[in-house]
Amino acid sequence: MYLPRPTRIRDANSLGLALLVCVLSAALLTACAGDDPDDTADDVATGTTAEGDAATEGTEDEPAADAEADPEVEEQAATDDDAEATDDDAEATDDDADATDDDADATDDETAPALDPLQGLALETVADGFDGPIGVSSEPGGDRLVVIERTGRAWLVDPDAGVLADPLLDLSGEVTAASIEQGLLGLAFHPDWPADDRVFLYHSLPGNDNVLVAYRRDGADPDRLDPASRQVLLTVDKEPDKVRHNGGHVLFGPDGLLYVSVGDAARASVNGQDPSTLPGTILRIDVDGGDPYAIPSDNPFADGGDGAPEVWWYGLRNPWRFSIDTATGLAYVADVGQESVEEVNVVPLEEGGTNFGWPAREGSLPFYDTEPHSPVTAPVLEVAHDEQERGCSITGGVVSRGEAIPEVAGRYWYADWCHGWIRSFVWDGEAAGDVQDHSEELAVGNVASFGLDANGEVLIVDWAGGTVHRLVARR
């Protein structure tokens, strides 16, 4: 950084000496003329100090009467004014230089340091020691995470203190986890947390039904939820022997509404193309507008005439994780396939009534010989169940929006539960392009879920390893 060149200022001692000579000359002339010596002393005091420096304090705008008659004194007064103006200009220049320095410092503070070239990606352990972790999300308004275990516990993770000693909530006595697809399946803080201290969870019940519930913060311990505050919002009925296909992801959209994924309850022929039933859908409800909730007026079946009022989208088999990219307003919905393909769907969040096709379609392929309830929206990505694609059971992910790895911003991350691979693609509005496989550098046993931390960086939940990882750069 180059500093501005300083303004050159005339030496004050030189000015003072010239002034003294002129004033003494005037005094001698006045004395010779018989003037009062006191008047001459006043003139000298007005013009200079005892040390010969130009006096600035107490100088009047109008010169003394005797000085008015003397052209040399008038010239010296003008010189004094010029010197003062020069000093003022110099001070202003110094102030400008200081402001320039401040602006430069501010610019330096705002400019992020240049990043070294990206050499690859890696996983950084955020927290471990969990028993079958199945989901991770951020606590609103802070940098803590919450990790849920399938067996019914939710844990807060502090970036400094690590996993807190006591769980945020322990539902192990309320949850059934007999099947790998049962248990505590989803958790979402109210977006106005902690002003609105509700947390919403979706879990399996002992009788095999699934339930959406809410708990409130414990007044005595802000790091715990009050077990006595349990409120049941809705129950999804299931047959006792149909333990699979439960969905269970819950999250709030930028519209403040709660979205809930529900599997087809292992009864595809009954539920998939029937929006009057809750299984095989994604629900959309207003938890602030009613008790226990209200139906948004723009839900496609809000009046209940052709479908359940809660249903937003339908035609899904087992949507295992979906996400909303708030930067684009798009929802990414991954649906686990039956025999041939896994699929990812990308749709505008604001467009309700989308039919993803199951079971009339598996991906883009015909499946059941049944007529779709409405036109089908095809997936943007399919992963075949073959040796090349290695599809088996897809885990839906998130779109990375963090600043730590700008090279992957806008990429959607997804994985396969069976084979452990992790891949990503970029949705350009028309196709899922630039598909990349990151399995060699991102080795995880069973990816149960993805999430985003408070900075938008990608989190990966390793169910088998009991670990939550963060995606980081190798530079």
Side-chain angles (χ1 to χ4, degrees), residues 122-130 459-460 466-472:
L123 296 176
E124 172 186 83
T125 299
V126 176
D128 55 13
F130 299 106
L459 302 170
I460 301 173
T467 306
V468 175
H469 304 281
R470 180 182 288 112
L471 186 68
V472 296

Side-chain angles (χ1 to χ4, degrees), residues 202 208-210 234-239 262 265 267 271 278-279:
Y202 190 90
N208 199 41
D209 293 340
N210 293 314
L234 65 82
T235 301
V236 178
D237 298 330
K238 294 186 65 181
E239 295 180 2
V262 183
R267 300 185 65 206
N271 297 317
L278 299 185

Side-chain angles (χ1 to χ4, degrees), residues 55-422:
T56 56
E57 294 184 7
T59 302
E60 300 294 333
D61 292 335
E62 296 292 332
D66 292 306
E68 287 180 4
D70 195 324
E72 292 183 4
V73 173
E74 288 182 345
E75 180 180 352
Q76 181 58 44
T79 302
D80 290 345
D81 291 340
D82 290 342
E84 290 176 5
T86 303
D87 289 343
D88 291 340
D89 290 343
E91 291 176 2
T93 302
D94 289 342
D95 290 341
D96 290 342
D98 291 341
T100 301
D101 289 344
D102 291 342
D103 291 343
D105 291 341
T107 302
D108 290 342
D109 291 341
E110 295 172 0
T111 303
L115 298 175
D116 293 333
L118 183 67
Q119 303 298 321
L121 301 172
L123 296 176
E124 172 186 83
T125 299
V126 176
D128 55 13
F130 299 106
D131 179 17
I134 204 167
V136 62
S137 56
S138 297
E139 180 184 17
D143 53 6
R144 298 196 301 184
L145 303 174
V146 61
V147 178
I148 59 172
E149 297 174 334
R150 189 176 64 87
T151 50
R153 293 180 180 86
W155 300 90
L156 284 172
V157 181
D158 186 273
D160 298 319
V163 182
L164 301 193
D166 296 318
L168 175 70
L169 184 66
D170 185 353
L171 291 180
S172 55
E174 305 279 348
V175 168
T176 291
S179 164
I180 197 172
E181 293 187 24
Q182 292 179 315
L184 176 56
L185 304 174
L187 178 150
F189 289 91
H190 192 283
D192 292 333
W193 171 276
D196 190 317
D197 63 353
R198 290 176 293 171
V199 177
F200 298 84
L201 306 99
Y202 190 90
H203 69 81
S204 305
L205 290 169
N208 199 41
D209 293 340
N210 293 314
V211 64
L212 177 68
V213 298
Y215 286 83
R216 290 189 176 273
R217 203 173 198 175
D218 191 327
D221 186 349
D223 294 330
R224 302 289 300 277
L225 298 179
D226 181 4
S229 66
R230 179 182 175 95
Q231 178 189 26
V232 176
L233 279 74
L234 65 82
T235 301
V236 178
D237 298 330
K238 294 186 65 181
E239 295 180 2
D241 61 332
K242 304 294 185 182
V243 298
R244 303 179 77 98
H245 301 185
N246 298 304
H249 197 42
V250 293
L251 59 82
F252 281 90
D255 51 13
L257 301 175
L258 183 64
Y259 293 78
V260 184
S261 67
V262 183
D264 69 2
R267 300 185 65 206
S269 61
V270 177
N271 297 317
Q273 287 298 308
D274 183 3
S276 67
T277 63
L278 299 185
T281 68
I282 289 181
L283 311 179
R284 179 181 186 250
I285 60 175
D286 180 2
V287 298
D288 298 321
D291 186 14
Y293 61 85
I295 302 298
S297 60
D298 58 345
N299 273 14
F301 313 112
D303 59 3
D306 194 31
E310 295 87 351
V311 171
W312 185 242
W313 298 319
Y314 63 100
L316 294 163
R317 181 176 180 269
N318 190 27
W320 186 245
R321 302 318 190 204
F322 70 100
S323 63
I324 298 169
D325 180 24
T326 56
T328 60
L330 297 175
Y332 290 70
V333 183
D335 198 17
V336 179
Q338 172 90 11
E339 296 178 354
S340 302
V341 296
E342 306 298 301
E343 67 180 76
V344 178
N345 303 275
V346 180
V347 292
L349 180 65
E350 63 184 12
E351 294 182 6
T354 299
N355 178 9
F356 295 109
W358 175 257
R361 304 282 190 275
E362 182 186 12
S364 60
L365 305 174
F367 193 73
Y368 275 5
D369 185 14
T370 183
E371 189 68 22
H373 181 271
S374 64
V376 172
T377 296
V380 304
L381 180 92
E382 295 176 272
V383 184
H385 292 190
D386 58 28
E387 293 185 1
Q388 181 178 356
E389 292 290 330
R390 300 175 66 231
C392 175
S393 180
I394 196 168
T395 297
V398 294
V399 177
S400 54
R401 293 294 178 188
E403 297 180 358
I405 322 177
E407 295 90 343
V408 302
R411 300 195 72 84
Y412 173 73
W413 299 81
Y414 60 106
D416 189 88
W417 167 271
C418 307
H419 298 298
W421 51 252
I422 297 175

